[in-house]
Amino acid sequence: SYTRPTAMWEQNKALIRRLYEEAINRHDAKAAASLYAADTKNHGRTVGREGMQEVFETPFETFPDFNYRILEATAEDDRVVCKVMMSGTHLGQPSKMNTAFGGMLTGVKPTGRKAEVLQFHSFRVRGNEIVEHAAVRDDLGMLKQLGVIKPIA
């Protein structure tokens, strides 16, 4: 049966929209991290705001035109799940966080190629802060688009 969205669900989705539109897409890692709780978890590990700031700085240096486009956003209880399209041109290398992009771009010279990558991000919100984040990304598709790996013939 259909459950009508509550005001909390709409507030949670608005918080995540702000994260993407007002912080990440403006390449403001500090503003993005400020939307997270001091004890935030990323992919199951407690990293806090400082850790999240590093998480955001890495794609900005690797893809200077890094951008997310929200395709869908769904909220229920304290959860928000977004289907997004990440796009960017590979013009840099991760320097602070070698585990970014699953470590697959560490040591890879910039290709100058553009990639569009489908991703799903899951957030848990407490109050007006994000307390948990995890994502599933098409990293294989990204590597193929960047020419880092060749498709199987």
Side-chain angles (χ1 to χ4, degrees), residues 7-86:
M8 179 187 74
W9 297 354
E10 292 306 315
Q11 283 179 320
N12 291 349
K13 281 186 0 186
L15 174 66
I16 302 307
R17 266 198 262 20
R18 280 183 45 221
L19 171 68
Y20 285 119
E21 295 168 6
E22 297 175 17
I24 296 173
N25 286 346
R26 292 181 182 173
H27 295 198
D28 190 337
K30 189 172 186 170
S34 76
L35 298 174
Y36 284 79
D39 61 345
T40 247
K41 288 186 178 189
N42 189 42
H43 293 276
R45 289 182 326 119
T46 301
V47 296
R49 285 189 192 105
E50 295 79 20
M52 289 309 296
Q53 186 167 332
E54 274 190 24
V55 166
F56 294 118
E57 289 169 350
T58 301
F60 302 158
E61 69 181 353
T62 309
F63 297 92
D65 58 347
F66 187 86
N67 183 272
Y68 278 125
R69 187 173 77 249
I70 299 172
L71 304 174
E72 296 174 18
T74 305
E76 187 171 348
D77 298 327
D78 61 352
R79 300 275 178 189
V80 178
V81 176
C82 292
K83 176 182 176 181
V84 299
M85 185 64 71
M86 183 282 280

